[in-house]
Amino acid sequence: MRKNIVLLCIISLIALYAKGQESGQTAGKKKSGNPVFEGWYADPEGIIFGDKYWIYPTYSDKYEKQLFLDAFSSPDLVNWTKHERIIDNTEVKWIWRAMWAPAIVKKGDQYFLFFAGNDIQSNEEVGGIGVAVASRPEGPYKDLLGKPLIDKIINGAQPIDQFVFKDKDGSYYIYYGGWLHCNVARLNDEFTGFIPFEDGTIFKEITPENYVEGPFMFIREGKYYFMWSEGGWTGPDYSVAYAIADNPLGPFKRIGKILQQDPTVATGAGHNSVIYEPKSDKYYIVYHRHPLGDTDGNHRATCIEEMHFDKDGFIEPVVMTFEGVEANPLR
């Protein structure tokens, strides 16, 4: 009996020591590293909700296996927690493949998650851009409409790669489009439909030079920064370019690339989002890239770098790293 008690004490001490070592290693981790979390994930949407950073990516695999979305949260950009299957095709019953490129906004006390599904190639197919809602950022999310919000190819833009942007006046715009075309529309208050523009149109084409897909918008010092991806998503030339405008509808004149392959680090760097952390006044670009020497187009990994601006407000070229970014706790 006494031997059993001694043995249990030893086991408990070993467990406590191991836990302490693990906590020490986590606490001592100074940088995120790239990729920031394990697994093949692409098209990352980065955002801050409360006291946590969040990343909502595409699960990168064959189309028929892309039937769900995971999310990741972190208090400091370094230590990440995985939230599995925040939504899947058992909830979004019209999706049978290619659940892509989540975008998320908080409105009131609800979280609205936008996503593309089925990679439709014509207006005769079922699919397009959908929207789901939850009361927490990690879900679970429920299909808001039971059908796509945008289900047609309009102005030549395939309905994929949506981003939802809240303007300074409280208006919400959805930017989206593949196949070298980008549209914008103004969402209604419930995110169930659209408010026509002054000329009566619903969808305006705003395609900048060399646009391929993956639009993203943010405001800095009163200017609208519009970003997009160029090149082929499976190839080494995938990259990010941008424009600056005075309003959310443009026109958007291409300035140049700010993120592209580095033969010493990675290839196929693209489909980005941007996180702004006001306490430190830091901007982070969240993107995916292909490991060197890996020719599988679906092997895409999510990474983060700090993004800088010059004295005139232009974005400086992003330097890809294996180290990632330093810890930046929100608390």
Side-chain angles (χ1 to χ4, degrees):
M1 182 69 175
R2 189 173 298 172
K3 288 182 179 180
N4 290 339
I5 293 173
V6 171
L7 182 60
L8 286 172
C9 288
I10 292 172
I11 292 171
S12 297
L13 286 170
I14 291 172
L16 286 170
Y17 175 78
K19 185 175 182 181
Q21 287 291 96
E22 182 180 353
S23 299
Q25 289 169 1
T26 300
K29 189 178 179 185
K30 301 297 185 183
K31 290 196 171 184
S32 64
N34 277 327
V36 292
F37 39 74
E38 293 182 357
W40 301 124
Y41 289 97
D43 314 328
E45 168 94 338
I47 196 167
I48 293 174
F49 290 134
D51 59 1
K52 288 184 180 179
Y53 301 91
W54 288 82
I55 293 178
Y56 298 81
T58 298
Y59 173 65
S60 191
D61 205 332
K62 295 178 180 178
Y63 290 4
E64 290 73 20
K65 294 184 178 180
Q66 294 177 311
L67 298 175
F68 63 90
L69 296 174
D70 294 330
F72 298 82
S73 64
S74 171
D76 55 10
L77 291 175
V78 170
N79 303 288
W80 292 89
T81 298
K82 182 178 180 180
H83 306 271
E84 295 189 26
R85 289 185 175 264
I86 61 171
I87 193 168
D88 60 28
N89 71 321
T90 63
E91 171 60 29
V92 187
K93 300 187 185 306
W94 52 268
I95 283 184
W96 66 278
R97 67 170 186 169
M99 198 172 194
W100 284 348
I104 190 164
V105 293
K106 183 181 182 183
K107 190 172 188 289
D109 58 358
Q110 292 183 305
Y111 299 84
F112 293 86
L113 184 72
F114 297 77
F115 49 87
N118 297 350
D119 184 35
I120 63 170
Q121 304 294 304
S122 72
N123 286 338
E124 284 66 54
E125 299 175 58
V126 175
I129 294 170
V131 56
V133 63
S135 58
R136 302 180 302 172
E138 67 270 33
Y141 285 84
K142 299 296 182 183
D143 190 352
L144 183 64
L145 301 175
K147 61 181 182 179
L149 174 67
I150 303 173
D151 64 353
K152 295 291 186 292
I153 297 163
I154 302 166
N155 299 327
Q158 187 190 26
I160 63 169
D161 288 6
Q162 62 293 318
F163 172 68
V164 176
F165 169 72
K166 183 181 180 181
D167 198 6
K168 293 177 289 187
D169 65 358
S171 301
Y172 287 87
Y173 295 92
I174 184 167
Y175 299 84
Y176 76 92
W179 294 354
L180 315 182
H181 293 274
C182 184
N183 287 335
V184 62
R186 185 177 174 185
L187 290 160
N188 65 18
D189 288 340
E190 297 79 25
F191 299 155
T192 57
F194 306 96
I195 299 172
F197 294 109
E198 290 183 1
D199 62 2
T201 61
I202 301 292
F203 299 95
K204 284 186 178 294
E205 183 170 4
I206 54 166
T207 308
E209 179 187 4
N210 289 358
Y211 174 92
V212 173
E213 59 193 16
F216 186 85
M217 175 79 79
F218 68 95
I219 299 176
R220 180 180 182 268
E221 296 182 356
K223 297 292 185 179
Y224 292 79
Y225 288 73
F226 185 60
M227 310 175 84
W228 64 89
S229 292
E230 302 179 349
W233 70 271
T234 60
D237 63 336
Y238 207 49
S239 53
V240 174
Y242 81 108
I244 300 175
D246 294 321
N247 67 81
L249 303 181
F252 299 106
K253 182 174 175 55
R254 184 182 186 274
I255 294 172
K257 290 183 181 181
I258 53 93
L259 176 65
Q260 56 189 316
Q261 65 175 319
D262 181 336
T264 67
V265 180
T267 65
H271 202 122
N272 75 290
S273 58
V274 173
I275 297 174
Y276 174 61
E277 200 290 292
K279 174 174 56 67
S280 59
D281 193 31
K282 288 186 175 183
Y283 288 81
Y284 300 97
I285 185 168
V286 189
Y287 66 100
H288 73 244
R289 68 194 194 195
H290 297 289
L292 290 177
D294 193 324
T295 58
D296 189 326
N298 285 315
H299 285 179
R300 298 173 290 174
T302 293
C303 302
I304 303 179
E305 314 288 357
E306 192 170 346
M307 192 169 71
H308 301 280
F309 302 81
D310 69 15
K311 61 182 178 59
D312 298 314
F314 294 108
I315 302 174
E316 296 179 350
V318 175
V319 177
M320 287 197 293
T321 68
F322 293 111
E323 295 79 18
V325 296
E326 294 182 349
N328 188 358
L330 289 172
R331 284 186 176 180

